[in-house]
Amino acid sequence: GQQVTCTASIGIVTSEHGHQQPEDALRDADTAMYVAKHAGKARYVVFDPEMHAVAERRLAMESDLRQAIASDQLRVAYQPIVSLRTGRPLAFETLVRWAHPVQGLLAPADFLPIADETGLIVDIGTWVLNRACADFAAWRRLSGIPPLAAIHVNLARKQLLLGKLPEVVMDALESHGVAPECLHLEVTESEIMNDPVHAAAVLGDLRRQGVKIDVDDFGTGYSSLATLHELPLDVLKIDQSFIAKMSEDHCFAALVHAVTTLAQNLGLATVAEGIETSDQVAMLQSMDCDFGQGHYFAKPMSSDEALAYLRSHATVSPEWSSVDSLSASMLHSSPVLHCPE
Ligand code: C2E
Ligand code: MG
Ligand code: MG
């Protein structure tokens, strides 16, 4: 008694490609059909030989990616998260890279979509989490560097769907001796909104164990403000697209200000992403945004470079010295970045 609506994705191949065998024509029609599906379904696409080349490159990359973890080709880059009140680096965000044997160092955009489709993202995510915990624990044991409060790790939707995520996270923390309060897991709005009830349950479980939850790229998804209030969250990370447009367009400045006020009222801290200029720093300080991240402070770097960066920031530079007296109290009173010794 229900009305069912069906759509179709159609791949078309014409005789101009001179197929000798019916299987070859079907294979190319199939390739075109998958392009139609990827383009949003309910459409037709006519085969073009470049599609075949793209499909072959993807297949090669998928099989390379399966080797990447076992062959020790994954790397992490760290980018500092800085207090906008004191200028001190308080945390690092962990960003995955792939040292591909032929193509060189690949950014997440080059391989995470395939990792996501194939489910390899789950193993990659676990590897990144453990690498980040190991480096963070090693940095915290060193003296002569500013006390780091937290390490941030990005989560993919498929990790969130995994029933055993809290177990995987707690295992990583325990095996490296990192307190749960020191780990911030970053999830995007769309990952949460895809299934807010399930996300709230898994993230709530982690948060009860002490782990901090950040909404990444805030402002780019379609979060319902009502849902936001019900979710177990600690930090809003304001997407870099807002920060980039803030100086030229007062509408964006107003939006960023509104988000920081909203966050404060909900008891959440704010991190501005993609800060590139001192103007942006000044604007964000005037809006009382708590933390900042971006090329203005430092680009993502290797773990050795991150350590050198920390050593070079053992004392705060002169432009921040007027607020330096606040730093020690800020670090330890901050509800989100405090980490027990
Ligand atoms: P994200 O979590 O929002 O990370 C911030 C991205 O912005 C990083 O790109 C960083 O290099 C870039 N960025 C930082 N400051 C600036 C700036 O001042 N200007 C500009 N133009 N860009 C800046 P990256 O490393 O290419 O990572 C892209 C995305 O890939 C990340 O966005 C995150 O969503 C995803 N990602 C990275 N590592 C992981 C991971 O280990 N697991 C998962 N699931 N996703 C990851
Ligand atoms: Mg992130
Ligand atoms: Mg982000």
Side-chain angles (χ1 to χ4, degrees), residues 48-68:
D48 169 328
E50 176 57 17
M51 290 174 193
H52 190 65
V54 169
E56 277 187 339
R57 282 200 295 273
R58 280 183 76 87
L59 201 65
M61 187 170 253
E62 183 185 325
S63 92
D64 287 354
L65 194 54
R66 288 188 191 280
Q67 307 291 321

Side-chain angles (χ1 to χ4, degrees), residues 93-95 153-154 186 216-217 237 273 293:
E93 174 170 5
T94 318
L95 298 158
V153 174
N154 292 286
E186 299 192 2
D216 204 353
D217 306 344
K237 295 192 76 176
E273 301 188 87
Q293 179 181 356

Side-chain angles (χ1 to χ4, degrees), residues 9-302:
S9 299
I10 304 172
I12 300 171
V13 66
T14 60
S15 58
E16 69 180 306
H17 302 293
H19 295 107
Q20 297 300 314
Q21 301 297 328
E23 296 79 20
D24 294 345
L26 282 175
R27 179 202 60 212
D28 290 349
D30 202 43
T31 301
M33 182 199 69
Y34 277 104
V35 174
K37 282 183 185 250
H38 274 289
K41 301 184 181 166
R43 66 192 65 209
Y44 68 88
V45 165
V46 181
F47 177 76
D48 169 328
E50 176 57 17
M51 290 174 193
H52 190 65
V54 169
E56 277 187 339
R57 282 200 295 273
R58 280 183 76 87
L59 201 65
M61 187 170 253
E62 183 185 325
S63 92
D64 287 354
L65 194 54
R66 288 188 191 280
Q67 307 291 321
I69 302 181
S71 320
D72 205 20
Q73 292 167 7
L74 292 182
R75 302 282 180 272
V76 284
Y78 293 104
Q79 189 178 32
I81 297 174
V82 173
S83 161
L84 289 178
R85 299 198 178 85
T86 67
R88 277 186 193 276
L90 293 180
F92 279 106
E93 174 170 5
T94 318
L95 298 158
V96 70
R97 303 285 182 260
W98 177 14
H100 190 281
V102 179
Q103 298 180 46
L105 199 65
L106 299 181
D110 300 325
F111 65 94
L112 284 191
I114 294 179
D116 200 59
E117 267 172 43
T118 53
L120 289 168
I121 190 78
V122 173
D123 288 345
I124 293 177
T126 305
W127 181 86
V128 171
L129 176 68
N130 278 279
R131 183 72 257 149
C133 287
D135 283 338
F136 179 73
W139 291 329
R140 294 251 305 172
R141 283 193 291 270
L142 295 172
S143 57
I145 58 170
L148 266 191
I151 186 79
H152 290 231
V153 174
N154 292 286
L155 270 192
R157 191 176 63 87
K158 287 204 170 147
Q159 288 175 278
L160 208 55
L161 292 175
L162 206 68
K164 60 174 191 186
L165 179 69
E167 208 178 304
V168 170
V169 171
M170 296 321 284
D171 274 358
L173 290 170
E174 272 166 35
S175 57
H176 299 285
V178 174
E181 291 77 11
C182 298
L183 178 66
H184 283 238
L185 291 177
E186 299 192 2
V187 277
T188 63
E189 277 175 281
S190 43
E191 280 158 14
I192 297 175
M193 293 309 157
N194 185 54
D195 185 351
V197 176
H198 177 77
V202 176
L203 298 176
D205 194 355
L206 282 160
R207 199 162 175 267
R208 274 188 295 282
Q209 315 218 41
V211 175
K212 307 293 180 192
I213 310 295
D214 297 15
V215 180
D216 204 353
D217 306 344
F218 184 75
T220 57
Y222 299 98
S223 51
S224 121
L225 292 180
T227 315
L228 199 66
H229 166 64
E230 286 159 15
L231 286 166
L233 302 175
D234 299 279
V235 178
L236 288 190
K237 295 192 76 176
I238 307 168
D239 189 66
Q240 58 185 46
S241 57
F242 292 86
I243 309 303
K245 294 181 195 134
M246 210 172 53
S247 314
E248 306 123 46
D249 188 337
H250 72 272
C251 290
F252 280 89
L255 280 171
V256 173
H257 198 183
V259 171
T260 50
T261 309
L262 169 80
Q264 277 159 10
N265 290 335
L266 291 175
L268 307 175
T270 41
V271 179
E273 301 188 87
I275 299 179
E276 292 185 353
T277 67
S278 55
D279 275 4
Q280 290 164 345
V281 172
M283 287 179 85
L284 290 159
Q285 283 172 324
S286 75
M287 294 172 189
D288 234 2
C289 179
D290 302 300
F291 306 100
Q293 179 181 356
H295 296 172
Y296 175 76
F297 299 108
K299 290 190 174 172
M301 48 198 149
S302 70

Side-chain angles (χ1 to χ4, degrees), residues 296-318:
Y296 175 76
F297 299 108
K299 290 190 174 172
M301 48 198 149
S302 70
S303 99
D304 288 346
E305 287 164 342
L307 183 56
Y309 174 89
L310 284 177
R311 289 198 198 287
S312 70
H313 286 74
T315 54
V316 174
S317 58

